Amino acid sequence: MQDLTLLTAMVTTPSSAISSIRERPRFWFPLIISILLAAGMIYWYYSAVDFEWLKHQFLDNAPQMQKLSEAQRQQAMNFMSRNTMMWSGVIGSAVFISVAFVLSATYLLIAGNVSGVRYRFKQWFALSCWTTFPSILLNTLVVALMRLSSDTTQLLPDSLRPLSLNELFFHRIIGQPGQSLLASADLLSLWPIALMTLGVKQWSQRSWLFSLIVVLLPYVAIYGIWAAFALK
């Protein structure tokens, strides 16, 4: 399959797409487009946001900022420039996505070797990229529509994840316990989990339960540890 055909199949007939990835693992297209979309959204956000308002949101609500002296707060205020935040976010998103895919593929490689499901790192890496790609595209579309329809420039970074638990249900502001945790938990994450579970089941020829446990284990570990510290 060609890349665009594979993307369509990942949405409409994921089983055939996953089989194609196993036989011909390739990842540059979803990897590069995912990075460009994430970086583009961050660049767009910081280009348009009311930055003076945003700085005060961080400085007034973040607990670590409230402990600073007035001179230190002013120094932090001066350091937080639009360009600094923008480019650190752009570069950080590119690094984060790349590292996340590498870690995902490494985990699946190790889990596969332990359980007798032996595929190459390149195959697991391609599966990680492609199973996440549709949700990244959809999130980008939702963010773009919300931004274009919004009549204010006073938007927090959480607006880049409009389907997160925090945006949909909890509405915790910067500095409140669990805000970052709830902002990172996104309903769209269920889609990659479902696709990855299908991929593991199809490649391993094991049960749905086995496949779901393999896929969910790192999520349970990461969010469990994070919640233990964030919500105490």
Side-chain angles (χ1 to χ4, degrees):
M1 293 184 185
Q2 298 299 317
D3 288 330
L4 291 179
T5 304
L6 185 56
L7 172 60
T8 302
M10 186 60 72
V11 177
T12 58
T13 55
S15 292
S16 63
I18 288 168
S19 294
S20 178
I21 293 168
R22 179 179 57 191
E23 300 305 320
R24 189 187 165 202
R26 57 197 188 278
F27 52 81
W28 287 115
F29 180 75
L31 176 61
I32 291 173
I33 299 301
S34 295
I35 289 173
L36 290 177
L37 288 175
M41 284 294 101
I42 292 174
Y43 184 89
W44 187 18
Y45 170 78
Y46 282 108
S47 297
V49 71
D50 182 341
F51 196 72
E52 289 303 312
W53 171 85
L54 181 64
K55 284 200 295 186
H56 283 287
Q57 293 300 307
F58 279 112
L59 293 174
D60 293 343
N61 296 311
Q64 61 270 32
M65 292 297 181
Q66 295 174 358
K67 298 175 183 178
L68 300 179
S69 66
E70 187 59 35
Q72 290 172 321
R73 283 169 59 86
Q74 187 59 48
Q75 186 178 18
M77 196 83 146
N78 294 335
F79 175 77
M80 290 178 62
S81 70
R82 186 186 299 271
N83 284 337
T84 299
M85 298 294 288
M86 177 191 295
W87 289 111
S88 62
V90 167
I91 296 170
S93 67
V95 172
F96 176 81
I97 289 175
S98 302
V99 170
F101 286 151
V102 169
L103 291 177
S104 174
T106 302
Y107 162 74
L108 290 169
L109 178 67
I110 295 172
N113 287 334
V114 169
S115 58
V117 183
R118 291 182 172 83
Y119 289 97
R120 292 174 294 147
F121 175 85
K122 184 178 180 180
Q123 290 170 299
W124 290 122
F125 188 79
L127 186 66
S128 298
C129 291
W130 280 105
T131 53
T132 308
F133 192 32
S135 67
I136 292 177
L137 289 175
L138 181 56
N139 187 71
T140 302
L141 177 61
V142 172
V143 171
L145 290 175
M146 290 186 64
R147 290 294 311 279
L148 291 173
S149 62
S150 177
D151 58 358
T152 180
T153 57
Q154 294 185 345
L155 296 168
L156 291 171
D158 285 0
S159 65
L160 295 176
R161 298 182 66 89
L163 297 179
S164 71
L165 296 184
N166 195 53
E167 285 292 286
L168 291 174
F169 305 114
F170 295 95
H171 310 294
R172 297 190 178 185
I173 63 173
I174 294 171
Q176 288 187 325
Q179 180 270 332
S180 59
L181 172 66
L182 294 169
S184 72
D186 195 317
L187 292 184
L188 281 179
S189 298
L190 298 176
W191 195 0
I193 289 172
L195 290 175
M196 183 64 77
T197 302
L198 175 62
V200 172
K201 182 182 184 300
Q202 196 168 312
W203 289 14
S204 67
Q205 297 298 303
R206 302 286 185 85
S207 67
W208 281 109
L209 180 60
F210 168 85
S211 306
L212 186 60
I213 290 174
V214 168
V215 173
L216 286 182
L217 190 58
Y219 288 91
V220 172
I222 292 170
Y223 280 95
I225 295 171
W226 194 349
F229 287 97
L231 300 177
K232 65 180 180 179

